[in-house]
Amino acid sequence: MTTATTVLTARAFLLDMDGTLVNSDVVVERCWRGWADRHGLGGDEVMKVVHGRQGYASMAVLLPDRPMEQNHADNARMLAEETADMEGVVAIPGAPEFLASLAGVPHALVTSADVALSGGRMAAAGLGLPDVRITAESVGASKPDPEGFLKGAAELGIAPEDCVVFEDSGAGIAAGRAAGMRVVGVGPRAGFHGPDVLVRDLTEVRVEVVGDGTVRLHIG
């Protein structure tokens, strides 16, 4: 992993939302710690699991003996709760400028949130939605499965090896690696999971379009 100034060459970017473009940690904490209390689980232990995954997948890890249909039903309630709670949702520093710099560059949102939650959080943070969006409804498997990132690359028409992923969570970083992509880790949480490059936030990233579909990503 590198923390000094680095240049990556790519043709497309696949962007996680929570923790990467949007800081929604206060809402995630409120909702998941409430869920933990209702199920007699320790909030700190639950918070170690939930980042990056779809809710049902987190529940399956935390309550391995519970039928999956209960996890899906509980997940639907959790999504509704999170979608109704936008208090404290803000943009990650540098996110507006970073998204603006991607105008004309192939990029996609690849998030474990559903359409309603992703649209709500991006709007609450004052961020525009990319034209290509891979949400919970788009995939059959949650991160750390690479399906979402591979679908994003396919929809953009770019080979996985020419894509760079931006992620903050262990599940997301693992998904990007499994998709055969390079991963830029965003924020302190990402540093524990071995991304190719680590940044504090998106103010440390600059996009340079050099022609023929090639983009240089200056990091640091």
Side-chain angles (χ1 to χ4, degrees):
M1 187 180 68
T2 305
T3 54
T5 301
T6 303
V7 178
L8 299 179
T9 301
R11 301 179 75 86
F13 301 101
L14 301 175
L15 315 173
D16 175 52
M17 181 183 70
D18 291 302
T20 301
L21 298 173
V22 172
N23 184 344
S24 56
D25 280 359
V26 292
V27 180
V28 174
E29 289 263 350
R30 275 197 295 270
C31 292
W32 277 101
R33 285 184 182 277
W35 182 89
D37 288 344
R38 291 193 294 274
H39 291 85
L41 299 173
D44 290 346
E45 293 305 308
V46 167
M47 295 314 301
K48 292 176 183 176
V49 171
V50 300
H51 292 290
R53 293 181 172 86
Q54 291 191 44
Y56 74 85
S58 296
M59 294 169 189
V61 172
L62 292 161
L63 297 173
D65 297 327
R66 191 166 78 154
M68 189 57 80
E69 58 266 26
Q70 290 186 32
N71 294 336
H72 281 286
D74 222 0
N75 185 46
R77 289 188 290 270
M78 178 73 74
L79 284 169
E81 184 181 345
E82 290 186 279
T83 303
D85 184 356
M86 294 294 160
E87 186 178 347
V89 173
V90 296
I92 293 289
E97 296 81 4
F98 176 60
L99 285 173
S101 75
L102 294 181
V105 175
H107 65 286
L109 189 72
V110 182
T111 175
S112 294
D114 64 3
V115 168
L117 182 58
S118 57
R121 283 188 177 159
M122 290 288 281
L127 301 175
L129 282 165
D131 291 338
V132 177
R133 302 183 288 275
I134 307 298
T135 62
E137 295 92 340
S138 310
V139 298
S142 169
K143 299 171 186 176
D145 191 282
E147 181 185 0
F149 287 126
L150 292 172
K151 281 196 168 183
E155 195 157 333
L156 294 171
I158 305 295
E161 61 267 25
D162 290 326
C163 296
V164 168
V165 165
F166 282 74
E167 265 286 0
D168 74 300
S169 71
I173 291 168
R177 286 198 175 286
M181 302 172 183
R182 291 156 293 163
V183 181
V184 175
V186 180
R189 191 159 49 227
F192 295 103
H193 303 287
D196 294 286
V197 186
L198 179 66
V199 297
R200 181 182 63 248
D201 57 41
L202 296 172
T203 64
E204 298 183 352
V205 177
R206 183 171 64 85
V207 173
E208 178 193 5
V209 180
V210 294
D212 73 8
T214 301
V215 180
R216 289 195 189 111
L217 189 66
H218 298 264
I219 298 166

